[in-house]
Amino acid sequence: MRFFPLLLAGLMGSSLAGWSQGLPGAQAETSKPPKRITILPVPVLFYQQETGAGYGLGGLLSGRLGNDTITRASNVRVQYWTTQKKQSLLQFVHTVYSPGEKFYLNGEVSYYKNRLYFFGVGNDAPQVQSSNRSFLNFELFIINQRFQKSIAKNQFLGLQYRLSRVFNLQTEAGRVNDNGDAIPITDFNNPNQQNYFTIDPRVDQRRNFSTSGVGPVYTYDSRDVALGASKGSLLDLQVMFNGKFIGSDYNFVRYQIDARHFQPVFSSKTILALQFLGQFHSGNVPWHGMAGLGANLGGTLYNNANLMRGIYEQRFRDRQMMTAQAELRQHLFWRFDGAAFLGVGQVGNNIQDYTFGGIHTAGGVGARFNFIRRDRVNLRFDYAFGTDPGFYFAIGEAF
C-alpha cells in the first residue's frame, strides 16, 4: 500500500510538552526520577487510490525492563485504522528483552480487511504486471510469535510459530488502470479483460485457506537499539515447517536469512545501514505465503513489509526471493535527521531463473523526527521512487 500522510503538526505540537522530561537538563529542574517507560500516541491519516481516505490511531510503548546497562529498550506498537471503502487493520507488535536479556520475545497479532492490487505471480516486467492489475479483496488473520533464550552474549536460540488465515476472498470484475479506475469490459470471454487472479496459471488456491508452521530460529544481535540502531549487526536465521501436522492446509518449508549491519561513517552523526534478506521455499506454497517484493505500512513481520520502498506491496511475488538495501542516515539539527536509501531485489520460481535484467530497483529520501531520544525512537517520513512512487509514514526505521 502507498500511504500519504496528512497530519504531523498536531501530533508534534500536542506531545512536545510531555517529552521534555527526556531532554538534556530537564532532570535538573525536578526531583522526579527519569521515566523508564514512555507512551507515544500517533494519529493516523492517509489517502491511497485503492481505499480512499483512511484514519485511525497508533501508539508506541518504549522502555527498558531491567535496571542494568545490558538490557536494551523493548517496545510495543499498536495501531488501528479504517478507510472510506471499509478496509481496516488492527495490529499488535512487540519486541521485548527481559531483564539481563535472558529471553527475547518478538511477534505480532494482526487482523486485516484488505483491498489490494494483484499483479500476478512471478518476476515479470512492470509493464506486463501493470496490464494484469486487478482488485483482490480478502481478510487476513495472523499470529506470529517467537520465543528465544540467550545462549551466549548477543546470541539467542528458540522457536517461532506462525498461523495465517486467508478468508472471505473476493475478486472484482475486470481489471483496473494505474489510477485505480475500472477498465470497461467489452468481451466477458476475453481472458485479457478478466480479473487476473482468476486466470493466473501460477495461482491454484482461489479459496479460503490457512497456513500454520513452526521451526527453529537463531539470532545474533549486537545492535545498540532495536528501533534505530547506530552500530552493531543482526543475523537472523530461521526455518519454518508448514504442514497438516500443525493445522496447515499446505505443506511447505520456508528458509530465511536476514543479515544487517550498522556503523558510523565519517562521524557519529552519519550512519550507514545495510541489509540482505533471502527467503526460499520448497513444497506447495500458496499465493499469499510466497515471498514478495514491495513495502507497506500495515505489513507483517513475517513478510518483511519494509523492503523495497517504492514498489507496491508484494507486486512481485514468487517462491524464491533475494533483496538488499542500503540507507545513509544523517543527523541534521536538534531532533531532525535526513536519510537516503536504495534497494534492489528479484523473485523467481527457482534460483536459476534469476537474471541481471530481472533485478528491480527502488529508492528515495526521507526525514526523521526523534520523538524519544533515550530509546532513539524516530517518526519516519519517506518519499520513495520505483514502479510505484509514494510517501511512507511510520514509527521507527525501516530496518
Side-chain angles (χ1 to χ4, degrees):
M1 297 182 183
R2 287 161 293 162
F3 283 65
F4 299 82
L6 304 176
L7 179 60
L8 282 176
L11 172 61
M12 293 181 181
S14 65
S15 304
L16 278 174
W19 300 326
S20 62
Q21 295 183 23
L23 293 173
Q27 295 180 25
E29 301 175 6
T30 178
S31 60
K32 294 182 180 180
K35 293 173 63 176
R36 290 175 54 193
I37 301 294
T38 300
I39 300 176
L40 173 66
V42 181
V44 177
L45 188 61
F46 63 89
Y47 175 84
Q48 57 186 14
Q49 294 170 343
E50 311 93 285
T51 63
Y55 51 89
L57 181 67
L60 170 74
L61 186 152
S62 176
R64 287 170 171 79
L65 299 182
N67 295 317
D68 55 78
T69 59
I70 299 175
T71 306
R72 282 166 285 190
S74 300
N75 65 82
V76 175
R77 286 168 285 170
V78 179
Q79 65 170 320
Y80 169 78
W81 51 254
T82 188
T83 71
Q84 286 180 308
K85 298 184 180 180
K86 299 182 179 180
Q87 287 70 50
S88 60
L89 164 68
L90 178 60
Q91 184 176 62
F92 171 84
V93 179
H94 64 275
T95 299
V96 177
Y97 297 96
S98 72
E101 297 198 357
K102 295 180 180 180
F103 298 98
Y104 174 56
L105 293 83
N106 178 261
E108 69 166 310
V109 179
S110 302
Y111 165 77
Y112 300 79
K113 188 174 182 182
N114 279 326
R115 174 182 168 87
L116 300 176
Y117 293 136
F118 178 81
F119 294 89
V121 175
N123 197 61
D124 291 337
Q127 59 269 25
V128 176
Q129 290 238 332
S130 293
S131 67
N132 295 336
R133 186 192 302 256
S134 304
F135 273 128
L136 183 62
N137 301 301
F138 63 96
E139 294 181 60
L140 175 65
F141 176 72
I142 291 174
I143 297 176
N144 192 96
Q145 299 292 324
R146 65 163 63 179
F147 178 83
Q148 295 173 264
K149 185 181 185 304
S150 175
I151 57 173
K153 183 179 179 181
N154 296 328
Q155 298 186 63
F156 303 88
L157 182 65
L159 287 175
Q160 178 171 325
Y161 170 75
R162 181 177 190 265
L163 169 68
S164 175
R165 175 68 178 168
V166 175
F167 57 102
N168 289 341
L169 193 152
Q170 299 175 344
T171 58
E172 299 184 16
R175 304 185 186 182
V176 294
N177 59 25
D178 291 345
N179 294 322
D181 299 323
I183 299 174
I185 301 176
T186 58
D187 182 359
F188 285 92
N189 295 319
N190 185 349
N192 293 325
Q193 297 184 13
Q194 297 174 17
N195 187 299
Y196 192 69
F197 183 80
T198 63
I199 62 172
D200 188 339
R202 296 288 307 280
V203 175
D204 61 1
Q205 307 92 3
R206 299 183 179 94
R207 57 181 176 81
N208 300 339
F209 65 88
S210 296
T211 61
S212 179
V214 65
V217 55
Y218 165 82
T219 303
Y220 170 80
D221 188 358
S222 65
R223 298 174 298 173
D224 53 348
V225 178
L227 277 180
S230 63
K231 61 181 179 180
S233 300
L234 171 72
L235 176 63
D236 193 78
L237 306 173
Q238 58 179 273
V239 182
M240 183 76 70
F241 299 94
N242 297 266
K244 296 183 178 179
F245 72 96
I246 199 169
S248 177
D249 291 325
Y250 298 92
N251 297 314
F252 65 96
V253 182
R254 169 180 277 196
Y255 308 88
Q256 177 173 296
I257 175 172
D258 184 354
R260 311 179 193 185
H261 180 68
F262 307 86
Q263 70 174 54
V265 292
F266 310 123
S267 74
S268 61
K269 294 184 177 181
T270 307
I271 305 300
L272 176 64
L274 304 170
Q275 180 184 25
F276 168 82
L277 183 96
Q279 292 178 350
F280 312 99
H281 294 86
S282 62
N284 184 19
V285 189
W287 63 271
H288 194 266
M290 292 180 174
L293 294 178
N296 71 93
L297 289 184
T300 73
L301 301 176
Y302 182 77
N303 285 328
N304 294 281
N306 290 314
L307 291 170
M308 301 294 287
R309 286 161 285 172
I311 295 180
Y312 188 84
E313 177 177 351
Q314 289 201 319
R315 175 189 258 268
F316 305 99
R317 70 176 81 211
D318 216 319
R319 291 161 51 87
Q320 323 301 342
M321 176 187 74
M322 288 192 289
T323 181
Q325 61 179 336
E327 184 166 291
L328 196 64
R329 302 166 184 170
Q330 175 66 49
H331 176 67
L332 300 177
F333 62 92
W334 192 48
R335 293 176 178 244
F336 289 95
D337 298 340
F341 52 91
L342 179 67
V344 296
Q346 188 168 179
V347 300
N349 187 37
N350 299 295
I351 296 298
Q352 54 265 36
D353 297 333
Y354 281 26
T355 64
F356 283 107
I359 295 175
H360 302 287
T361 61
V365 295
R368 309 287 184 267
F369 183 81
N370 186 211
F371 268 39
I372 307 175
R373 283 181 171 176
R374 180 198 63 208
D375 300 330
R376 209 174 300 146
V377 177
N378 292 335
L379 274 185
R380 173 167 55 89
F381 181 68
D382 292 331
Y383 176 77
F385 57 86
T387 57
D388 307 280
F391 294 93
Y392 297 83
F393 176 49
I395 300 174
E397 297 295 349
F399 66 100

